[in-house]
Amino acid sequence: MPYRIKEVADYVGISVRTLHHYDRAGLLKPGSVTASGYRLYTDSELEKLQQIMFFRELGFGLRQIKEILDSPGFDRMQALAAQKILLLEKEKRLEAIIGLVEQTLDAVKGGIAMNKKDMFRAFDMSEIEKHQEHYTEETRQKYGHTEAYKESQKKAASYKKEDWAAISARGAEIYQELADLMVLSPADPQVQQAIGAWRQHITDSYYNCTPEIFRGLGDLYVQDERFTASIDKTKPGLARFMSEAMHLYCDSIAKKGR
Amino acid sequence: MPYRIKEVADYVGISVRTLHHYDRAGLLKPGSVTASGYRLYTDSELEKLQQIMFFRELGFGLRQIKEILDSPGFDRMQALAAQKILLLEKEKRLEAIIGLVEQTLDAVKGGIAMNKKDMFRAFDMSEIEKHQEHYTEETRQKYGHTEAYKESQKKAASYKKEDWAAISARGAEIYQELADLMVLSPADPQVQQAIGAWRQHITDSYYNCTPEIFRGLGDLYVQDERFTASIDKTKPGLARFMSEAMHLYCDSIAKKGR
DNA sequence: ATTGACTCTGACGTTACGTCATGGTTTATT
DNA sequence: AATAAACCATGACGTAACGTCAGAGTCAAT
């Protein structure tokens, strides 16, 4: 079941040296080591290695990748979603460059000079870098920000790997449900019920989410662009929609309480 | 009209240091230098810089790029065509990786494990590297190989830039014509006529292509994989088709001569 | 018992720049 | 005309992500 280093290297298409390097960098340590010092990798490490490959493909530095993967709230699904967006962004750039080559070919064929302004625009990376920065900053700042999040961090530390998958899957489920309900008013009973499920999910998975905290969280969704961007990935405008719905939800709880 | 180094850097989106680096590496020297040592670049250098950017985008090393650009028979049109092919190859790879991300996302969502064989296949670069190697090797070996080619090299040195464009355009034209005729037999009069045009083109543009040399060239097309690959870029199988047609062509000339 | 394929840990090399440091040059402004 | 602000030049060292030995131990099979 455990693979030796060359098996992994051949399998993945990288060098043994690279795995040594990742080990020393703390990016990917072998699952175990034999008495004689041989590194042994398991499927779990292969999975992590795949994540690393995705990030590397996107031009992330090993340092950054380590930081992201080591982040306590690292969510594989969310990472994959972000990676997909970034890869599509990269494809867009590539296509622009291909278009530029074709344009240049035509210009050379026709013996005419190209418009200097267009000659290099396609090489621009700022769009991709923006997305990269966004994602890194998001995972970096996601935790240790508010009181509630500190609490969540502690609770989160106790979860096993399998739990995380279930939790984030449930989260994505609710996001999607709410995204589908965006055609309705935030006050609509269906929406309010989904919001209730959202609060329950937070309480179950992270921390006791009181109405006060929940209201503050709603504010955060529109005030902190990191949250806005993250939530709007499911569907643009979802963050604002949820924020309003959460406020109405808290209002109605307050009313009932009196 | 001439640009100073920072103007170029800002325009292209690279650093001044990079231009310094390219200068020292002999990859891109400024068109002129002021008395005080300031580098001055003109549109011609911008054009070359664009070529460099294309190659760099494709993962070519600076050494390799220099070798290609300095090659006596460097043909911008051909280079652009090759670059386009390589970029499309790169896009194919990217799309495979995007597909992999989606597949992985589904697997994580469904809570199932992925097929290990598929987990890394998309990262494979060998296809791209093959193309890269091919192109470099092609430009490297294209000249100075056979007697005829040595002759061609001399003749070619006298051409002006504009001539080159016309020559390779005419070459591409004949290739395309022959590719379209591949449904016919190599012995078909139409094919034989196109082959005659091809020999004429070589004689006009490069060297006096005797039937003997022409026959040898036909052999080269299938024996030397660099030629095969180069020709088959227009259409797979074209090299073999041309080789056969060229032999028949030379046979019929020999018969006539008697 | 030995061969061949693998593994380990250094340690230096490489590519394509980044990042100062130091000092001269141009251009704009006063 | 002086002076600041922006620009340029040449070293020279730093860095990221490995590549490439070297020297020595390990393992599986013959």
Side-chain angles (χ1 to χ4, degrees):
Chain A
M1 192 65 175
Y3 314 103
R4 305 214 311 207
I5 197 162
K6 192 176 186 298
E7 293 182 84
V8 177
D10 289 347
Y11 204 86
V12 178
I14 60 179
S15 72
V16 169
R17 182 56 174 61
T18 299
L19 286 168
H20 281 169
H21 190 57
Y22 289 176
D23 185 2
R24 231 182 19 210
L27 184 56
L28 182 73
K29 303 240 170 215
S32 57
V33 180
T34 69
S36 48
Y38 282 28
R39 295 173 178 80
L40 295 177
Y41 298 84
T42 72
D43 285 344
S44 164
E45 275 83 47
L46 279 188
E47 222 171 72
K48 189 168 180 185
L49 184 48
Q50 195 202 29
Q51 277 296 320
I52 293 172
M53 299 287 284
F54 281 136
F55 279 118
R56 222 190 43 166
E57 178 67 29
L58 290 164
F60 284 78
L62 299 191
R63 257 281 190 40
Q64 235 176 342
I65 298 177
K66 180 181 158 57
E67 192 183 346
I68 291 171
L69 293 181
D70 287 355
S71 158
F74 173 72
D75 174 354
R76 185 150 172 232
M77 278 243 308
Q78 194 194 327
L80 285 164
Q83 281 158 351
K84 187 180 162 185
I85 291 172
L86 265 160
L87 285 165
L88 287 171
E89 203 64 39
K90 227 188 139 182
E91 196 185 6
K92 243 176 58 187
R93 176 170 174 274
L94 233 184
E95 268 166 9
I97 294 177
I98 291 172
L100 178 58
V101 169
E102 281 167 351
Q103 216 178 318
T104 311
L105 251 169
D106 288 345
V108 173
K109 264 184 206 159
I112 55 171
M114 265 203 64
N115 182 347
K116 260 168 277 169
K117 291 210 177 177
D118 300 330
M119 261 175 80
F120 298 97
R121 207 201 305 286
F123 292 109
D124 183 64
M125 296 260 292
S126 62
E127 195 61 26
I128 291 176
E129 277 162 4
K130 206 183 69 191
H131 280 272
Q132 279 185 13
E133 193 49 42
H134 239 110
Y135 180 67
T136 324
E137 209 37 48
E138 187 187 319
T139 61
R140 189 174 1 233
Q141 300 289 344
K142 199 166 171 186
Y143 289 79
H145 225 35
T146 62
E147 270 294 313
Y149 269 97
K150 277 184 200 158
E151 197 178 330
S152 94
Q153 202 166 2
K154 278 190 285 182
K155 195 163 183 177
S158 68
Y159 284 132
K160 284 167 212 145
K161 278 180 189 174
E162 313 90 65
D163 297 333
W164 271 113
I167 288 168
S168 62
R170 175 69 181 138
E173 208 177 289
I174 298 173
Y175 272 20
Q176 194 52 58
E177 197 182 327
L178 279 160
D180 293 342
L181 292 172
M182 274 174 70
V183 287
L184 305 175
S185 148
D188 191 284
Q190 275 189 72
V191 176
Q192 288 299 307
Q193 199 189 336
I195 289 292
W198 178 233
R199 181 183 159 210
Q200 190 57 49
H201 176 62
I202 295 173
T203 299
D204 288 348
S205 311
Y206 304 99
Y207 52 88
N208 179 27
C209 189
T210 66
E212 290 72 33
I213 292 180
F214 200 52
R215 190 188 292 276
L217 195 57
D219 289 338
L220 214 59
Y221 283 4
V222 292
Q223 280 163 20
D224 189 325
E225 56 164 327
R226 290 184 300 261
F227 278 88
T228 313
S230 164
I231 295 167
D232 281 359
K233 266 173 201 161
T234 299
K235 189 168 182 179
L238 180 58
R240 174 155 297 280
F241 181 78
M242 282 182 72
S243 178
E244 285 176 29
M246 284 159 82
H247 266 278
L248 292 171
Y249 175 88
C250 295
D251 287 349
S252 83
I253 286 186
K255 226 181 281 175
K256 259 190 232 159
R258 257 191 283 130
Chain B
M1 194 63 176
Y3 315 103
R4 303 211 310 205
I5 197 162
K6 193 180 186 296
E7 294 181 84
V8 176
D10 289 347
Y11 203 86
V12 179
I14 59 179
S15 72
V16 169
R17 184 57 185 27
T18 300
L19 286 168
H20 281 167
H21 190 57
Y22 289 176
D23 185 2
R24 232 182 18 212
L27 184 55
L28 183 73
K29 303 238 170 219
S32 58
V33 180
T34 68
S36 50
Y38 282 28
R39 294 172 177 82
L40 295 178
Y41 298 84
T42 72
D43 285 345
S44 163
E45 276 81 46
L46 278 189
E47 221 172 73
K48 189 168 180 185
L49 184 48
Q50 195 202 29
Q51 276 296 320
I52 294 172
M53 298 286 285
F54 281 136
F55 279 118
R56 223 191 39 166
E57 178 67 30
L58 290 164
F60 283 79
L62 299 191
R63 254 287 187 36
Q64 235 176 343
I65 297 177
K66 179 181 158 57
E67 192 183 347
I68 292 171
L69 293 181
D70 287 355
S71 159
F74 172 72
D75 174 354
R76 184 148 172 236
M77 277 244 306
Q78 194 195 326
L80 284 164
Q83 281 159 351
K84 187 181 160 186
I85 291 171
L86 266 160
L87 284 165
L88 288 172
E89 203 64 39
K90 227 188 137 181
E91 195 185 7
K92 243 176 58 186
R93 175 169 175 275
L94 234 184
E95 268 165 9
I97 293 177
I98 291 172
L100 178 56
V101 169
E102 282 167 350
Q103 216 178 319
T104 311
L105 251 168
D106 289 345
V108 174
K109 266 185 205 156
I112 55 171
M114 263 202 66
N115 183 347
K116 261 168 276 169
K117 290 210 176 177
D118 300 330
M119 261 175 81
F120 298 97
R121 206 201 306 286
F123 292 109
D124 184 63
M125 296 259 291
S126 62
E127 196 59 27
I128 291 176
E129 275 161 6
K130 204 183 71 193
H131 280 272
Q132 278 185 14
E133 193 48 41
H134 242 111
Y135 180 67
T136 325
E137 210 36 46
E138 187 186 319
T139 62
R140 181 162 21 218
Q141 300 289 345
K142 198 168 172 186
Y143 290 80
H145 224 36
T146 61
E147 268 295 312
Y149 268 96
K150 276 183 201 160
E151 198 179 327
S152 93
Q153 202 167 2
K154 278 189 284 181
K155 196 163 182 177
S158 68
Y159 285 132
K160 285 166 212 146
K161 278 181 190 172
E162 313 91 65
D163 297 331
W164 271 112
I167 288 167
S168 62
R170 174 67 182 139
E173 208 177 287
I174 298 173
Y175 271 21
Q176 192 53 58
E177 198 182 325
L178 279 160
D180 292 342
L181 292 173
M182 274 175 70
V183 286
L184 305 175
S185 148
D188 190 284
Q190 277 191 71
V191 176
Q192 287 298 307
Q193 201 189 334
I195 288 292
W198 177 233
R199 181 183 157 208
Q200 190 58 50
H201 175 61
I202 295 174
T203 300
D204 289 349
S205 311
Y206 303 99
Y207 52 87
N208 178 26
C209 188
T210 66
E212 289 71 33
I213 292 181
F214 199 53
R215 191 187 290 275
L217 195 58
D219 288 337
L220 214 57
Y221 284 4
V222 292
Q223 280 163 21
D224 189 326
E225 57 163 327
R226 290 183 301 261
F227 279 87
T228 313
S230 164
I231 295 167
D232 281 359
K233 266 174 201 161
T234 300
K235 189 168 182 179
L238 180 58
R240 174 155 297 279
F241 181 77
M242 281 181 74
S243 178
E244 284 176 29
M246 284 160 82
H247 265 278
L248 291 170
Y249 176 89
C250 294
D251 287 350
S252 84
I253 285 184
K255 227 180 281 175
K256 259 189 232 162
R258 258 191 284 128

